[in-house]
Amino acid sequence: MLYLNTSDIEKVGKNWKETIDVIEHAVHSLHKEDYAQPIKPYLRYHDMANRIIAMPAFVGGDTYMAGIKWIASFPKNLQEGIQRAHSITILNEARTGKPVSTINTALVSGIRTASVSGLLLKHYEQVRPLQNVTVGIIGFGPIGRLHLQMVTAMLGEKIAKVVLYDIAGIQQEHIPAEIKEKTVIAQTWEEAYCEADVFITCTVSPHGFIDKQPKRHSLLLNVSLRDFTPKILDYTRSIIVDDWTEVCRENTDIEIMHLERGLQKEDTKSITDIVCLDQMKEFPQDEPIMFNPMGMAIFDIAIAAYYYKQALSQGIGTHLQD
């Protein structure tokens, strides 16, 4: 078994084009029903804000790997100077079930999250080409930082300005050097939101607070899932989810829209609709487009398998014996 930790993943590095391609291939496996993915259970005890989530899956196609991600999210850890999320992923050879790798780091999970966002950004830009882009990000913890790295790599010189906001302040040493001169530190979330062409939520907010109109034609990547109020439906009905059954629960913005405004599955498009059936272009041109990803286990297994194979080929990691 190959054991990989954070430093091993950092040695492999981040190639956003490749990791986004990995997610795209996994979406095609999803579309072809060449996958298995039970609804993920949430383990809660004592403080109900905390959860540990089990995410098992099999992905076919080029990935052809099974496994499970076991991820703990404890928001109050941040107050104690401890990272919020801790994650371990186990990969099993699909044909035999033999465990082949243990990946003990939340970094690979974060790369998955940003790569899924990158895939939606890629397909958005195919329909609505971007120039002189203002990127707004609220929440600049590990997920926010990875998203900034991803959009910087994807959009490059197309970015005119990046506006960052975090209620706890911005650690500027985490801003990539190549984008630093274009980066503005906001004092309110509205500054990062109202003029953004691409807006990304990466907070740990327990409930929605964004109630203002977004910029027309913008892409809203609602990564943290609990930042918008149902009022967003006054401004757009162009809603994408990764999986309705997964996302319409656990007090997400989608569940609140469902309960308070009657949003139904048929009112949304899925990630397979966008990637495999080219339905991004069916949205009204003047409306913002909002993506709400609960996080799918097939994507975690696909990205973990990618890093496992890269580490094997590069001689990175620690081999464990029976």
Side-chain angles (χ1 to χ4, degrees):
M1 178 187 291
L2 185 66
Y3 176 86
L4 300 171
N5 59 19
T6 301
S7 64
D8 295 323
I9 300 301
E10 289 173 341
K11 287 175 188 174
V12 174
K14 305 182 197 81
N15 184 319
W16 292 108
K17 181 184 183 305
E18 290 185 2
T19 57
I20 289 167
D21 284 347
V22 167
I23 298 296
E24 188 153 24
H25 291 150
V27 173
H28 282 282
S29 292
L30 176 65
H31 182 61
K32 295 172 184 175
E33 299 188 353
D34 188 14
Y35 80 104
Q37 180 179 261
I39 292 289
K40 56 190 179 187
Y42 282 59
L43 175 64
R44 285 192 167 93
Y45 52 90
H46 295 168
D47 186 343
M48 294 298 110
N50 300 330
R51 63 244 190 215
I52 309 180
I53 310 168
M55 300 176 64
F58 158 75
V59 190
D62 293 339
T63 300
Y64 205 70
M65 190 77 73
I68 186 169
K69 183 176 80 170
W70 179 238
I71 183 164
S73 177
F74 283 53
K76 293 177 184 175
N77 281 359
L78 298 173
Q79 300 168 14
E80 301 179 29
I82 306 169
Q83 68 186 53
R84 175 184 64 85
H86 294 82
S87 176
I88 189 163
T89 304
I90 298 172
L91 295 176
N92 298 76
E93 190 179 75
R95 187 180 67 83
T96 66
K98 177 185 175 182
V100 293
S101 185
T102 296
I103 304 177
N104 183 15
T105 174
L107 178 57
V108 74
S109 180
I111 292 169
R112 177 272 284 170
T113 302
S115 298
V116 173
S117 296
L119 179 60
L120 265 292
L121 178 58
K122 171 184 170 180
H123 282 266
Y124 173 88
E125 192 173 17
Q126 289 173 359
V127 175
R128 301 181 182 182
L130 291 166
Q131 291 292 336
N132 299 315
V133 181
T134 295
V135 177
I137 300 176
I138 60 170
F140 200 58
I143 300 299
R145 296 166 196 163
L146 287 167
H147 274 80
L148 181 55
Q149 294 173 29
M150 179 273 292
V151 296
T152 299
M154 282 194 68
L155 298 180
E157 292 301 316
K158 295 178 182 180
I159 297 175
K161 181 168 65 173
V162 172
V163 186
L164 303 178
Y165 173 74
D166 193 303
I167 195 170
I170 300 295
Q171 294 178 298
Q172 296 190 37
E173 64 271 21
H174 294 296
I175 301 173
E178 62 267 35
I179 203 71
K180 202 156 193 173
E181 290 187 0
K182 296 181 179 180
T183 301
V184 175
I185 310 302
Q187 301 304 309
T188 66
W189 64 264
E190 289 94 337
E191 294 174 62
Y193 172 67
C194 292
E195 295 302 319
D197 300 290
V198 177
F199 177 73
I200 311 171
T201 69
C202 302
T203 77
V204 293
S205 177
H207 50 74
F209 57 91
I210 298 174
D211 57 1
K212 291 182 168 55
Q213 184 170 356
K215 187 174 182 178
R216 292 179 64 194
H217 314 290
S218 59
L219 175 63
L220 311 176
L221 297 169
N222 188 21
V223 176
S224 42
L225 279 179
R226 295 171 182 87
D227 292 274
F228 285 86
T229 71
K231 192 170 177 60
I232 189 64
L233 293 177
D234 293 343
Y235 309 121
T236 183
R237 303 290 293 197
S238 299
I239 307 294
I240 306 169
V241 299
D242 52 2
D243 181 90
W244 175 268
T245 305
E246 284 280 12
V247 77
C248 189
R249 62 192 184 112
E250 292 293 330
N251 200 39
T252 65
D253 293 341
I254 290 294
E255 184 183 30
I256 301 303
M257 291 182 221
H258 170 66
L259 294 174
E260 295 188 8
R261 296 286 296 267
L263 185 73
Q264 302 294 325
K265 179 179 180 179
E266 54 268 26
D267 299 321
T268 68
K269 295 189 184 298
S270 71
I271 195 169
T272 56
D273 293 331
I274 300 303
V275 173
C276 304
L277 301 177
D278 196 26
Q279 292 186 8
M280 182 84 79
K281 63 187 178 186
E282 295 185 11
F283 290 129
Q285 280 295 311
D286 62 338
E287 281 193 355
I289 294 173
M290 184 186 194
F291 176 50
N292 301 268
M294 187 64 152
M296 300 182 74
I298 59 168
F299 299 152
D300 287 290
I301 300 308
I303 290 292
Y306 165 82
Y307 273 98
Y308 164 65
K309 293 169 186 175
Q310 290 289 317
L312 273 182
S313 67
Q314 297 177 38
I316 294 170
T318 303
H319 287 275
L320 306 179
Q321 303 298 321
D322 291 340

